[in-house]
Amino acid sequence: MEVQIFQKGRRNPLTVEDLKKIQYFSIAKDDQQTLDDNFSSFSLNNVVSEVKFIGMSETVIIRAEEIESIVLDEGF
């Protein structure tokens, strides 16, 4: 699966190919959360601080407030 992360004020998205995990801190649960599958359930609504998009060969770490939108491509 590929994820494209669009940032506020920027045109070109950050891309992580072969997405394996999404790690983030949640307001609802005051500890680190990890999604290893079912990435479509991920929402920025209760995310604080940074989000890590971890792929097979790259990782993107970005502050939640800098993210405008996320596009998940399951067909990759």
Side-chain angles (χ1 to χ4, degrees):
M1 174 177 296
E2 177 182 275
V3 63
Q4 293 183 327
I5 305 131
F6 291 87
Q7 300 174 79
K8 295 176 182 172
R10 298 199 179 176
R11 288 182 178 227
N12 297 327
L14 300 170
T15 302
V16 175
E17 297 176 354
D18 200 13
L19 183 65
K20 298 296 182 193
K21 292 182 185 181
I22 299 175
Q23 293 180 335
Y24 59 97
F25 282 91
S26 167
I27 293 172
K29 298 177 181 177
D30 195 21
D31 60 349
Q32 182 171 302
Q33 306 295 304
T34 301
L35 289 177
D36 293 317
D37 56 7
N38 195 16
F39 299 118
S40 60
S41 68
F42 177 71
S43 170
L44 287 171
N45 288 339
N46 292 319
V47 172
V48 295
S49 77
E50 65 188 24
V51 182
K52 293 180 185 177
F53 296 91
I54 302 169
M56 185 63 119
S57 61
E58 71 266 319
T59 298
V60 169
I61 302 170
I62 186 168
R63 295 190 59 77
E65 63 267 12
E66 295 176 7
I67 299 174
E68 184 173 303
S69 64
I70 298 168
V71 176
L72 296 167
D73 183 1
E74 294 184 31
F76 180 76

